[in-house]
Amino acid sequence: MKSPFLTMIAEQMYLKRYAKSTIKAYLYWIASFIRFNSMRHPTTMGDNEVELFLNHLVNQQNVAPNT
C-alpha cells in the first residue's frame, strides 16, 4: 500500500481483528473519498466534504442511500 495513512488505518483494523474483507472494503471507500476530494488528507476536511461525497455516491454513482 502506497499511502502511509491507509497503511496506518489497515494496521489499526488488523489489531482490532477486523475481517480482511471488511478492511479491504473500508480502505476502498476511504481511498475513494480521498480521491473525490482531490487527494486532500481526511484530517483537513469536515462535514461538508463528507456530505458532498455521499451525495455524489447517491446521485452520480447510483449507490443505495443505505449503503
Side-chain angles (χ1 to χ4, degrees):
M1 191 173 306
K2 294 179 183 177
S3 167
F5 177 72
L6 292 177
T7 302
M8 179 199 64
I9 290 174
E11 288 172 357
Q12 290 299 312
M13 292 174 78
Y14 279 117
L15 288 173
K16 293 184 179 193
R17 301 186 187 277
Y18 280 68
K20 288 182 182 181
S21 59
T22 301
I23 295 171
K24 184 177 177 181
Y26 279 31
L27 293 177
Y28 170 82
W29 287 113
I30 293 168
S32 295
F33 175 69
I34 293 169
R35 281 192 302 276
F36 177 80
N37 287 291
S38 304
M39 303 301 282
R40 290 174 42 211
H41 196 279
T43 58
T44 66
M45 296 182 259
D47 295 343
N48 188 45
E49 287 84 0
V50 173
E51 189 173 330
L52 288 171
F53 178 64
L54 295 175
N55 285 330
H56 166 75
L57 291 177
V58 171
N59 297 324
Q60 275 91 35
Q61 300 296 318
N62 297 322
V63 175
N66 290 336
T67 301

